[in-house]
Each structure stands twice: as structure tokens, then as C-alpha cells.
Amino acid sequence: MSVEFLSDEWFAKVKEIRDAAGDVSAPAALADLVINITVSGDGGEKALSLVGGMLEEGHRDEAPTTLILPADLAKRIFIEGDQSAGMQGFMSGQIRIEGDMSKLMALQSAQPTDDQKQLMKQIQDITA
């Protein structure tokens, strides 16, 4: 069963999957990284954060950087793992960055761990 990306039901399912996975190791470059993400779409804006390489609902006070982007682009980057979409979105002005831009460099160079790949596959499978 697929659920709509960024819906309340989607966040609940992602939390279930993450809780069932237990401790998921992240690459060293992502371990302490916290980035806020504001996603705009038909349903207004959604606040989420990337914490230790994992998406979470809501913004974090300690995040030094905020990405602002449309929902379709967020899905391509964070769910489908399309890194080229991120660069294209930035170059075309679809992605705005507030705060410490240098924190985003860790995202470009970090390779997901096997644990993260398995978790992301499960999240992809439930995402509409």
C-alpha cells in the first residue's frame, strides 16, 4: 500500500519503518548533520528535517541550514535518491538555501550505508 509523500499517514509509516529498523548507522559525514527542509506543494508547506541522514517530521532548532524546495523535487532527491536532481534544482533556482551552505557539502560526498539503503528502499516502497 502506497501513501502520499509528506502526508500525515506517510510520516506515520516512515516512523514505523524507522522504529522497526532500530539503530541505523550513518556515514561519518552525516552522523552529526542536521538540516531543516521546507517543502512547498499543493497542500501548503511541510516542515521536515534531515537528522543523521534520516528524514524526520518538523524543523529542528539546532539546524544551521534550511533548504526550501518544491515537493516533486524533494521526492526525487530524498526518496528516489536522484542527486543530479538536487544540483539541477539548485542551478535553476528551485532550491533556496538559508543559513550555512557549507553544511550541504556533506550531502554531496556522503555515501549511504547498507542499513540506510535498506531503510530507504522500504520507504520508497510505501511512497506514492
Side-chain angles (χ1 to χ4, degrees), residues 114-128:
D114 288 340
D115 288 348
Q116 283 181 312
K117 287 177 188 176
Q118 290 173 10
L119 186 64
M120 285 312 298
K121 174 70 173 112
Q122 290 178 308
I123 293 171
Q124 284 174 348
D125 289 347
I126 61 104
T127 302

Side-chain angles (χ1 to χ4, degrees), residues 73-115:
L73 188 55
K75 184 177 179 183
R76 286 178 53 206
I77 295 168
F78 298 110
I79 302 303
E80 298 169 11
D82 185 352
Q83 289 186 344
S84 66
M87 185 55 71
Q88 290 167 356
F90 179 72
M91 298 303 280
S92 68
Q94 288 184 290
I95 297 176
R96 290 192 345 254
I97 300 165
E98 295 177 354
D100 187 352
M101 191 172 174
S102 69
K103 299 295 182 187
L104 298 178
M105 298 308 157
L107 291 178
Q108 286 185 309
S109 61
Q111 294 298 315
T113 63
D114 288 340
D115 288 348

